[in-house]
Amino acid sequence: MEAREVRDIDDAIRLVELRGLSHVKVGIADIDGVMRGKYLSKEKFIGALRGGFGFCNVVLGWDLNDQLYDNVQYTGWHTAYPDAMVRILPHTCRDLPMEQVNGQSMLFFLCEFVESAAAICPRNLFQRVLQKADDMGFSALAALEYEFFMFRETPQSVRDKHYQNLTPWTPGYFGYSVLRSSVESDYYHQLLKLCEDMDMSIEGLHTETGPGVLEAALAVDEAGAAADKAFLFKTFAKVLAQRNQLMATFMAKWSHQFPGQSGHIHLSLKDSQTRLPVFHDPDQPHNMSKVQRHFMAGVQQLLPELMAMYGQTVNSYSRLVPGYWAPLNATWGLENRTTALRLIPGSAKSQRIEVRIGSADANPYIALAAALGAGLYGIEWQMEPEPMVEGNAYTQTFPDRLKLPNTLWEAAQRLKQSEAAHALFGAEFVQHYAATREWEEREFRRHVTDWELKRYFEII
C-alpha cells in the first residue's frame, strides 16, 4: 500500500502498521501560512485519527516570530492558551522521502482545526468556501505558481550577515535559462522528484528574471487538493534547499534591486453534476461564458476589499510598484500580464482566470479563499466586470474604486469594513485576521530600516 492510496482512517492505520513506524509526523497551517507540527507516537496517532487531539491554540495567536498577538479575541493571555481540537486528515497522507526510518519513508499527514477554532483556521476557511461553491452547483479547479529566490546560504549564515551581501545561487539575470538548469540539474531533479514523491507535481520549472530565482508551476487539481499541495510545496521546497546547503525565500520582495516574487492563482469552475467546465462559451467574445464573466467581476470588484488576504505582510506591498510585473489596480485584460486579472481563453478545459495580484508570501488557503469566494460572490450577485484593459495597464489611469491599498494597514481596514468579506468568511475570521495584520504593521513601525538610516542619519 502506498501513501497516496490512503483514503480513510483504516487505510492510515494499516499503512503505519505495514511500515512498522513508531511515530508519524503531522502538520497544520498557522495564520501566516507557516507549517507547524510535531511527531506523534503510533498509539497517539491512532487515537487522534479516531477522536482528534489537542493542539495549543497559540498557533493561531502568534506571529512569524512566535510573538503573541495583543489584539485578538479568540486566543491570548485572557484565555490562558488552552488546547484547540484538531483533526487529522487521512487522505492527505504523504511520504517524506528525505526521512527514512528502518528503510521506510516517514509518513506525514495534514491537519485542520475544528470546533471553536474552525472559524479562524485557514484550511477550514477554504473548506467553507469550497462548500459554498458546492451549494451553488460548482466545483473548482486551481493551480498555483510560485517564484522564489535561492541563495548559497544557511539559516546561520544569513543571520551572521544580518541578511546583507547574500550570495545568490546563480548570478545575473537569465530567465528560462537552459544553461543554468543544466549546470545545476542535480538540484532541479531532486526538487522535481520530491514533488512527484509527495504528490504535489510540478508542471513547469524554470529560472526567472533575477539572480538565483526560480518559478515552479504546480499542476492543476481540484481546488482543495491544490491548496494543500501549495502549502506543502512552500515548506518542503525550503527543506530540500537547506538539506543542500542552500536557502529558498518566498518573501514578496527581498531586495529593491530585483523584481518581487509572485504567487499567481489559476482558477476555473465545473458543474458539480455534469463535471463539465462552465467558463467556456465559444459563442461569446474570448470564449468567456456568462458564469466566467460574473466570476471575473466578483474577483475584480472585491480585490481592493480583500487585498489583505492576497498580500499579508508589510513586505507584500513593496512588490506593488510600476514596471515590476505586479498590478497596481483591480484591472483585467485578455492575456495581459500588466493587469491584476488575466483572462486566458482556450478550450473548454483550459479556459480560466489567472489572479496575478498575490505574492509568494501569501497563505495559499487564505489567498485561494479570497479569489474563489469573490468569484462566487460575483456569480451570486450577477456582477459585471469593468471594461477590459488593453495595452500597458501601468501607464493608464483608473477610477478610484479600482485602486488597491498601498499598505498592509490600509488593506486591513478595508477588510474589516467589507460586507462581502463578512458574508463570505464570517465575522470571527475577518476580525481575527484583520487584527493580526494590524499587529504585523505595528511591529514594522516599531523598527528603523536601513533606508531611513542612510537617508536621514547625517543629512536631515
Side-chain angles (χ1 to χ4, degrees):
M1 186 179 192
E2 301 298 330
R4 63 182 64 191
E5 297 175 319
V6 172
R7 291 293 178 268
D8 56 29
I9 291 172
D10 291 338
D11 288 343
I13 295 172
R14 187 179 307 115
L15 185 56
V16 172
E17 296 282 7
L18 283 171
R19 296 207 177 172
L21 297 176
S22 64
H23 290 77
V24 173
K25 184 178 278 189
V26 298
I28 198 165
D30 72 4
I31 296 297
D32 284 294
V34 176
M35 187 179 291
R36 311 283 184 165
K38 61 175 74 176
Y39 290 99
L40 296 178
S41 70
K42 181 177 74 173
E43 294 74 22
K44 175 74 172 179
F45 173 73
I46 291 173
L49 274 171
R50 292 175 171 145
F53 71 99
F55 206 125
C56 181
N57 77 2
V58 74
V59 171
L60 297 171
W62 64 15
D63 68 10
L64 289 159
N65 201 34
D66 291 4
Q67 300 303 300
L68 303 174
Y69 298 130
D70 63 1
N71 58 342
V72 295
Q73 294 302 310
Y74 169 75
T75 184
W77 288 119
H78 61 285
T79 69
Y81 292 105
D83 278 351
M85 190 57 65
V86 163
R87 69 168 157 235
I88 299 172
L89 304 163
H91 70 279
T92 66
C93 180
R94 257 79 174 179
D95 288 311
L96 292 182
M98 71 284 288
E99 293 191 39
Q100 294 290 312
V101 182
N102 299 324
Q104 299 281 353
S105 292
M106 172 60 66
L107 292 177
F108 176 87
F109 293 81
L110 288 173
C111 307
E112 66 181 5
F113 286 100
V114 293
E115 298 180 355
S116 61
I120 57 175
C121 168
R123 189 182 189 280
N124 207 302
L125 169 76
F126 188 48
Q127 292 300 308
R128 296 196 299 274
V129 175
L130 290 173
Q131 183 59 55
K132 178 179 178 64
D134 188 62
D135 293 342
M136 293 174 64
F138 302 114
S139 62
L141 294 173
L144 290 93
E145 53 190 35
Y146 287 109
E147 296 168 351
F148 54 104
F149 275 83
M150 300 277 293
F151 298 89
R152 296 188 185 276
E153 302 287 351
T154 68
Q156 188 60 52
S157 73
V158 295
R159 287 165 170 80
D160 291 343
K161 293 180 176 182
H162 304 289
Y163 300 91
Q164 300 295 316
N165 302 314
L166 304 180
T167 303
W169 183 34
T170 56
Y173 284 66
F174 204 167
Y176 300 98
S177 171
V178 173
L179 174 62
R180 294 281 186 258
S181 63
S182 299
V183 172
E184 304 292 347
S185 60
D186 284 353
Y187 177 78
Y188 279 80
H189 287 291
Q190 285 183 52
L191 182 59
L192 291 168
K193 186 176 189 307
L194 175 68
C195 291
E196 288 291 332
D197 290 345
M198 292 190 65
D199 190 22
M200 50 183 190
S201 298
I202 292 177
E203 187 176 82
L205 178 65
H206 61 86
T207 61
E208 254 294 349
T209 299
V213 62
L214 296 179
E215 179 175 317
L218 303 181
V220 65
D221 206 335
E222 298 290 335
D228 287 340
K229 292 177 181 184
F231 177 54
L232 289 161
F233 175 78
K234 288 182 66 177
T235 295
F236 288 100
K238 288 185 282 190
V239 169
L240 182 66
Q242 291 188 28
R243 290 175 72 96
N244 281 272
Q245 297 301 299
L246 300 168
M247 284 195 75
T249 181
F250 287 82
M251 277 185 69
K253 194 163 188 176
W254 78 272
S255 170
H256 69 276
Q257 296 176 316
F258 306 115
Q261 300 180 104
S262 64
H264 295 163
I265 298 170
H266 294 253
L267 279 171
S268 64
L269 295 180
K270 294 191 294 186
D271 184 287
S272 297
Q273 298 300 317
T274 66
R275 308 301 295 169
L276 295 175
V278 297
F279 273 7
H280 184 265
D281 185 344
D283 295 327
Q284 296 299 318
H286 319 306
N287 300 332
M288 183 164 59
S289 71
K290 180 180 178 182
V291 171
Q292 187 180 30
R293 192 175 74 248
H294 293 324
F295 187 97
M296 173 89 77
V299 180
Q300 179 184 31
Q301 293 189 32
L302 294 187
L303 259 180
E305 299 176 27
L306 305 185
M307 187 61 206
M309 298 173 71
Y310 298 105
Q312 66 185 43
T313 70
V314 171
N315 183 249
S316 303
Y317 298 82
S318 298
R319 172 175 163 264
L320 304 179
V321 294
Y324 276 96
W325 298 96
L328 308 175
N329 297 276
T331 53
W332 74 278
L334 177 66
E335 284 287 12
N336 191 328
R337 285 183 167 88
T338 69
T339 54
L341 305 177
R342 172 182 166 222
L343 171 63
I344 303 175
S347 66
K349 183 179 179 181
S350 64
Q351 182 93 8
R352 64 193 187 276
I353 290 169
E354 181 186 20
V355 183
R356 296 179 54 81
I357 193 65
S359 48
D361 59 6
N363 183 328
Y365 295 117
I366 292 176
L368 271 165
L372 179 58
L376 295 173
Y377 194 84
I379 295 171
E380 194 172 25
W381 291 95
Q382 297 190 350
M383 292 178 171
E384 293 294 335
E386 299 281 339
M388 183 179 74
V389 174
E390 297 184 23
N392 186 357
Y394 301 138
T395 62
Q396 300 180 39
T397 302
F398 301 98
D400 287 346
R401 64 180 176 275
L402 298 182
K403 292 188 182 303
L404 299 175
N406 291 320
T407 66
L408 182 59
W409 183 270
E410 182 188 350
Q413 306 316 303
R414 294 292 301 271
L415 182 66
K416 283 179 14 179
Q417 297 161 11
S418 171
E419 294 181 5
H422 282 79
L424 287 167
F425 313 124
E428 287 180 88
F429 172 80
V430 171
Q431 291 164 6
H432 184 87
Y433 183 74
T436 68
R437 299 310 93 193
E438 291 174 340
W439 161 273
E440 190 75 11
E441 177 87 13
R442 285 188 286 113
E443 284 294 283
F444 171 71
R445 294 193 180 281
R446 290 178 58 240
H447 294 82
V448 176
T449 66
D450 290 346
W451 184 88
E452 292 169 276
L453 287 172
K454 292 174 184 177
R455 191 171 186 86
Y456 303 131
F457 191 88
E458 177 188 5
I459 297 172
I460 196 72

